């Protein structure tokens, strides 16, 4: 289709021309434009994209989505729980899994893979902060700022994500749909220091 469009453009441009020199110059310019466009497309297809910034951007979006969902209101379905799904290319999640698997220590995180899904389950807050800060190339304090939130009236207080063995921070990647399912739990402490959660807070 691109070649046909270029030919139509050349025919249209040559209609008012009479001299051979003008015709040759016009055809040459059209041909060079076509070659340039094809060359740019080829370079893009052959280019290598650094995966680090892409992973950092994806994890940052996950953290921002968690932060937005930290609410002081208890939901009827899955109370004090954040759950959402976002699209993610499989290559990106596989790269994340590779980083976790190659870490010096597996303490605080479990990775599992089946034919249907791959999963990362964090049971220690320190491990989650260290892992996410590494993936985002930022400080742990920056990651932590997305896991807690001050709430305003009518229910003033603070919400905070909890990461424990019985309440892990879970990333589940569904291979067929290429969906990442994020699930975590949090507590709400009101202005009178009363804590609301599903389980006892240690």
């Amino acid at each position: 289709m691109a070649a046909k469009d270029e030919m139509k453009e050349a025919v249209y441009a040559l209609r008012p021309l009479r001299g051979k020199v003008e015709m040759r110059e016009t055809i040459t310019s059209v041909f060079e434009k076509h070659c340039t466009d094809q060359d740019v497309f080829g370079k893009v297809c052959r280019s290598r994209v650094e995966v680090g910034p892409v992973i950092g951007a994806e994890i940052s979006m996950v953290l921002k989505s968690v932060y937005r969902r930290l609410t002081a209101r208890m939901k009827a379905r899955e109370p004090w729980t954040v759950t959402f799904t976002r699209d993610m290319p499989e290559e990106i999640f596989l790269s994340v899994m590779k980083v976790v698997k190659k870490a010096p220590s597996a303490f605080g995180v479990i990775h599992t893979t089946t034919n249907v899904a791959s999963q990362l389950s964090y049971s220690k807050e320190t491990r989650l902060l260290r892992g996410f800060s590494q993936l985002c190339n930022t400080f742990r304090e920056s990651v932590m700022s997305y896991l807690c939130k001050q709430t305003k009236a009518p229910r003033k207080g603070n919400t905070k994500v909890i990461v424990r063995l019985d309440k892990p921070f879970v990333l589940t990647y569904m291979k067929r749909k290429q969906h990442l399912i994020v699930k975590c739990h949090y507590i709400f402490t009101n202005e009178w220091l009363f804590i609301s959660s599903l389980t006892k807070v240690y």
Side-chain angles (χ1 to χ4, degrees), residues 7-72:
M7 291 300 296
K8 289 180 180 179
E9 183 180 340
V11 172
Y12 179 80
L14 290 173
R15 284 180 179 178
L17 300 179
R18 294 293 183 268
K20 292 183 179 180
V21 176
E22 291 178 296
M23 292 176 63
R24 184 168 59 250
E25 290 178 350
T26 302
I27 293 175
T28 301
S29 65
V30 172
F31 178 75
E32 289 177 349
K33 180 179 182 298
H34 176 72
C35 290
T36 300
D37 292 343
Q38 292 299 312
D39 187 51
V40 171
F41 177 74
K43 287 182 178 179
V44 171
C45 292
R46 294 190 299 270
S47 63
R48 294 184 178 182
V49 179
E50 292 186 9
V51 72
V54 179
I55 292 177
E58 289 289 342
I59 298 299
S60 294
M61 290 301 298
V62 168
L63 291 171
K64 290 177 182 178
S65 297
V66 170
Y67 183 81
R68 287 197 302 268
R69 289 168 172 80
L70 294 177
T71 174

Side-chain angles (χ1 to χ4, degrees), residues 101-149:
K101 290 179 179 180
K102 296 295 183 179
S105 173
F107 178 74
V109 60
I110 298 175
H111 52 81
T112 56
T113 301
T114 66
N115 294 331
V116 178
S118 296
Q119 187 178 88
L120 290 174
S121 180
Y122 290 89
S123 58
K124 294 292 182 180
E125 181 181 285
T126 53
R127 185 66 177 86
L128 176 69
L129 294 177
R130 184 170 74 248
F132 275 27
S133 62
Q134 180 184 15
L135 292 171
C136 294
N137 192 26
T138 187
F139 298 104
R140 299 185 188 185
E141 292 79 8
S142 178
V143 175
M144 190 64 202
S145 66
Y146 290 104
L147 303 180
C148 53
K149 181 180 181 181

Side-chain angles (χ1 to χ4, degrees), residues 81-122:
T81 303
V82 172
T83 305
F84 61 91
T85 302
R86 59 177 283 105
D87 296 331
M88 179 180 288
E90 185 175 7
E91 293 79 6
I92 300 301
F93 189 80
L94 290 178
S95 297
V96 173
M97 287 282 287
K98 185 177 181 180
V99 172
V100 174
K101 290 179 179 180
K102 296 295 183 179
S105 173
F107 178 74
V109 60
I110 298 175
H111 52 81
T112 56
T113 301
T114 66
N115 294 331
V116 178
S118 296
Q119 187 178 88
L120 290 174
S121 180
Y122 290 89

